Amino acid sequence: MTVASIARLAGVSAPTVSKVINGRAGVALDTRRRVEALLREHDYRRPEAVGPAAILEVVFTALESHLAIEIMRGVESVAREHELAVGFTEMRGRLAPGRGWLEQVLARRPAAVIAVYAGFSPQQQGLLDSSSIPLVALDPTGEPGHAIPSVGATNWSGGVAATRHLLDLGHRRIAKIGGPPAFLCARARLDGFRAAMDSAGAPVDPSLIRDGAFAFEDGLALGRELLALPDRPTAVFAGNDLQALGVYEAAREAGLNVPRDLSVVGFDDLEFTRWCGPPLTTVRQPLADMGATAAEIAIALAAGEQPAQSRVELATTLIVRASTAPPR
Amino acid sequence: MTVASIARLAGVSAPTVSKVINGRAGVALDTRRRVEALLREHDYRRPEAVGPAAILEVVFTALESHLAIEIMRGVESVAREHELAVGFTEMRGRLAPGRGWLEQVLARRPAAVIAVYAGFSPQQQGLLDSSSIPLVALDPTGEPGHAIPSVGATNWSGGVAATRHLLDLGHRRIAKIGGPPAFLCARARLDGFRAAMDSAGAPVDPSLIRDGAFAFEDGLALGRELLALPDRPTAVFAGNDLQALGVYEAAREAGLNVPRDLSVVGFDDLEFTRWCGPPLTTVRQPLADMGATAAEIAIALAAGEQPAQSRVELATTLIVRASTAPPR
């Protein structure tokens, strides 16, 4: 099968087929899909010199920007061993990549795509699939229902560990600030909190359970509400580190000392939380390891292997620093 | 000129020449250089389909990891307009890229390389040059002596602005924590400090000038020393934000309130400094803009254009938040 005959079958010019084979831009999505299908159907072997580009592409939503650098480090450490570059795209808060991005990726033909909490539609997955570009989800938000291989962290267990730590210190009035209810990771952390409270026989006061975005501002606003209660909590388990820092600020405003007057626990272990005042007790997501694992799966898929597991959850770890103490 | 004749001239096999032309791995550096030189000498035109890979590669030293995500955002915003992916490499603290990395980059043949405070040797620059891969330095540390086009920020002016702000608040005993003396950005910030002090007629007490690494730990250690002085400073201008957070911690240890008892100014405006307690007054480096500018220069060079200026310095801005106040 020659380029010319594929072109004839596809009803396009030979240079267009050449562009598809060589991973260059300037071919409409539909045309590219048609040509890729014909190449596969006729078992066209690309010459070694024009195999997939030696790059792993990582796509982030803005949501993950604070986590991004750790994830990139992990991906890069594995990619380098395999002589692959690591590509970076940030979608500025959109959950699904736009047509323009997809078109560019199909043209570049990376070895694989790692989507960090990015929702690809089945149609978009189909386009990547028709170009033999494997897709792996790296999902610190914990969505387990991926149709594609995915890597996450044990959010529920992290919620249990953080809550037990506060219970062990003697806290009973523990507030829980959650993330957006639509995020399964937020739900998993909250469920872990409830499980630990229940198994310790500690009552969960509904007025101490609040939901917000995974942002400093939400931690600040909800922290103010919680600290203004007549019977305020002695500890707050925040949904993530940014919320925890918002609670710090609310405590400062209220003239309360962390941890003497209020214990605070975060989630994620962003690097800078160890530099906060006081250094934050938090639950570590092994972001670099998650990136490395996603890269390994992506590279295996690109080599035509099937991953042993389609869903991997790496362990979270409680990191005790200086923001937690027994209640007064 | 055919691939076969280039191969004959280079004394290598035709598939080796093919690999060089197509940007694939598995060719020794010397061989690659010889082949690239012959291709250029004989004006060999690569077919459009095997032009440079549609990727801009960004190389970081570990030093810049806290700045990296902002820079990547800026590079990515420009790269995307030009349908380029952005590659990411972190060198884990080594200032010059290793042979392995260079070999991979030469094989991938990216459109250009942006080096973020990475020192490329003249020989390494020569290798990139012989493969027609433009190199641009993005240098938040302010080294102005690049042989290659470079983008930086106005560190000296930032030093003046921060110091004037403290002087205007009424401070006279102002301490300066500097960065590593070998970093010109550290020197520029210190010179700006001295210039502002001199022009205000404020004496510079040598015991209040200390040097350290650009790290939290150094800010903490030097902050402790400064706050233990019999006549301690009323304000500290730190070399960067991480040092400033170390000074925060030293103040907490000493039972001093920021800003009531001690004013603190940082440098960089890392995103999380607005979430610190209290939010940090600092000098903003426009990292995303610097990344975007470096990308524009790199893309222009890749298109065969000469940049209008070989050195661009973007303005720093004083961001006044809550860590500075008049002395008591």
Side-chain angles (χ1 to χ4, degrees), chain B residues 217-234:
Chain B
E217 290 73 18
D218 290 64
L220 174 57
L222 297 172
R224 282 176 182 150
E225 289 176 23
L226 289 166
L227 297 180
L229 291 174
D231 187 11
R232 64 174 171 77
T234 61

Side-chain angles (χ1 to χ4, degrees), chain B residues 85-107:
Chain B
V86 178
F88 170 96
T89 305
E90 197 194 38
M91 293 193 294
R92 294 177 184 75
R94 286 183 302 141
L95 287 186
R99 197 176 167 83
W101 178 83
L102 199 67
E103 210 161 318
Q104 290 179 28
V105 166
L106 291 173

Side-chain angles (χ1 to χ4, degrees), chain A residues 18-19 22-26 48-55 57 62 65-66 68-69 72-73 76-77 79-92 94 101 104 108 216-217 242 245-246 248-249 252 271-272 274-279, chain B residues 18-19 22-26 48-55 57 62 65-66 68-69 72-73 76-77 79-92 94 101 104 108 216-217 242 245-246 248-249 252 271-272 274-279:
Chain A
S18 244
K19 279 184 184 170
N22 288 289
R24 302 296 144 174
E48 192 203 341
V50 290
I55 179 169
E57 296 224 3
S65 59
H66 306 104
I69 195 72
M72 288 298 281
R73 276 185 188 149
E76 202 259 341
S77 67
R80 186 195 299 220
E81 282 169 30
H82 292 81
E83 307 202 350
L84 296 170
V86 177
F88 170 96
T89 305
E90 198 194 38
M91 294 192 295
R92 292 177 186 75
R94 285 184 303 140
W101 178 82
Q104 290 179 27
R108 286 194 288 263
F216 173 85
E217 291 72 18
L242 298 183
L245 297 188
Y248 271 28
E249 184 65 25
R252 266 191 298 273
E271 189 176 19
F272 58 81
R274 72 200 65 168
W275 303 316
C276 290
Chain B
S18 239
K19 280 185 184 169
N22 288 290
R24 302 295 144 173
E48 191 202 340
V50 290
I55 180 168
E57 295 224 1
S65 61
H66 306 104
I69 195 72
M72 289 297 280
R73 276 185 189 150
E76 203 259 341
S77 68
R80 185 194 302 220
E81 282 169 30
H82 291 81
E83 308 203 348
L84 296 170
V86 178
F88 170 96
T89 305
E90 197 194 38
M91 293 193 294
R92 294 177 184 75
R94 286 183 302 141
W101 178 83
Q104 290 179 28
R108 287 195 288 264
F216 173 85
E217 290 73 18
L242 298 183
L245 296 189
Y248 271 29
E249 185 65 26
R252 266 190 299 274
E271 189 177 19
F272 58 83
R274 73 199 65 167
W275 302 317
C276 291

Side-chain angles (χ1 to χ4, degrees), chain B residues 136-257:
Chain B
V136 176
L138 195 166
D139 203 342
T141 60
E143 168 73 61
H146 294 281
I148 53 175
S150 66
V151 177
T154 57
N155 286 290
W156 185 88
S157 304
V160 170
T163 310
R164 275 210 188 128
H165 169 62
L166 292 169
L167 289 164
D168 288 348
L169 287 169
H171 292 277
R172 302 284 283 186
R173 278 193 68 69
I174 305 175
K176 176 79 187 89
I177 299 181
F183 285 12
L184 275 178
C185 71
R187 176 59 193 255
R189 293 169 196 178
L190 176 61
D191 285 353
F193 166 77
R194 285 186 190 281
M197 293 291 276
D198 287 353
S199 69
V204 173
D205 179 343
S207 73
L208 298 186
I209 310 287
R210 315 257 163 160
D211 284 339
F214 277 141
F216 173 85
E217 290 73 18
D218 290 64
L220 174 57
L222 297 172
R224 282 176 182 150
E225 289 176 23
L226 289 166
L227 297 180
L229 291 174
D231 187 11
R232 64 174 171 77
T234 61
V236 177
F237 175 22
N240 75 347
D241 288 346
L242 298 183
Q243 286 182 349
L245 296 189
V247 175
Y248 271 29
E249 185 65 26
R252 266 190 299 274
E253 288 178 0
L256 299 174
N257 178 286

Side-chain angles (χ1 to χ4, degrees), chain A residues 13-281:
Chain A
S13 70
T16 296
V17 174
S18 244
K19 279 184 184 170
V20 173
I21 290 172
N22 288 289
R24 302 296 144 174
V27 181
L29 279 184
D30 290 351
T31 308
R32 188 180 297 278
R33 181 149 53 162
R34 204 160 66 243
V35 171
E36 288 281 8
L38 284 165
L39 290 170
R40 218 173 29 257
E41 191 183 319
H42 294 280
D43 208 17
Y44 178 90
R45 301 269 301 194
R46 293 171 205 259
E48 192 203 341
V50 290
I55 179 169
L56 270 188
E57 296 224 3
V58 186
V59 189
F60 291 89
T61 66
L63 170 75
E64 304 309 326
S65 59
H66 306 104
L67 317 177
I69 195 72
E70 287 297 311
I71 292 171
M72 288 298 281
R73 276 185 188 149
V75 173
E76 202 259 341
S77 67
V78 170
R80 186 195 299 220
E81 282 169 30
H82 292 81
E83 307 202 350
L84 296 170
V86 177
F88 170 96
T89 305
E90 198 194 38
M91 294 192 295
R92 292 177 186 75
R94 285 184 303 140
L95 287 186
R99 199 175 166 83
W101 178 82
L102 200 67
E103 212 160 318
Q104 290 179 27
V105 166
L106 291 174
R108 286 194 288 263
R109 295 206 311 116
V113 171
I114 296 173
V116 181
Y117 192 60
F120 282 64
S121 71
Q123 197 223 355
Q124 291 172 323
Q125 288 181 31
L127 277 166
L128 289 175
D129 198 49
S130 77
S131 289
S132 306
I133 300 173
L135 178 62
V136 176
L138 195 166
D139 202 343
T141 62
E143 168 72 60
H146 294 281
I148 52 174
S150 67
V151 178
T154 58
N155 286 289
W156 185 86
S157 304
V160 170
T163 310
R164 276 210 187 128
H165 169 64
L166 292 170
L167 288 163
D168 288 349
L169 287 170
H171 293 277
R172 303 282 285 184
R173 277 193 71 69
I174 305 175
K176 176 79 188 87
I177 299 181
F183 285 11
L184 275 177
C185 70
R187 175 60 193 256
R189 293 169 196 177
L190 176 61
D191 285 353
F193 165 77
R194 284 186 190 280
M197 292 292 275
D198 287 352
S199 71
V204 174
D205 180 343
S207 73
L208 299 187
I209 310 288
R210 316 256 164 161
D211 284 338
F214 277 142
F216 173 85
E217 291 72 18
D218 289 65
L220 174 56
L222 297 171
R224 282 175 183 152
E225 290 177 22
L226 289 167
L227 297 181
L229 291 174
D231 186 12
R232 63 173 172 78
T234 61
V236 178
F237 174 22
N240 74 348
D241 288 347
L242 298 183
Q243 286 182 348
L245 297 188
V247 175
Y248 271 28
E249 184 65 25
R252 266 191 298 273
E253 289 177 0
L256 298 175
N257 176 285
V258 176
R260 203 184 56 218
D261 307 315
L262 183 74
S263 288
V264 180
V265 181
F267 208 105
D268 282 343
D269 192 27
L270 300 181
E271 189 176 19
F272 58 81
T273 58
R274 72 200 65 168
W275 303 316
C276 290
L280 183 67
T281 295

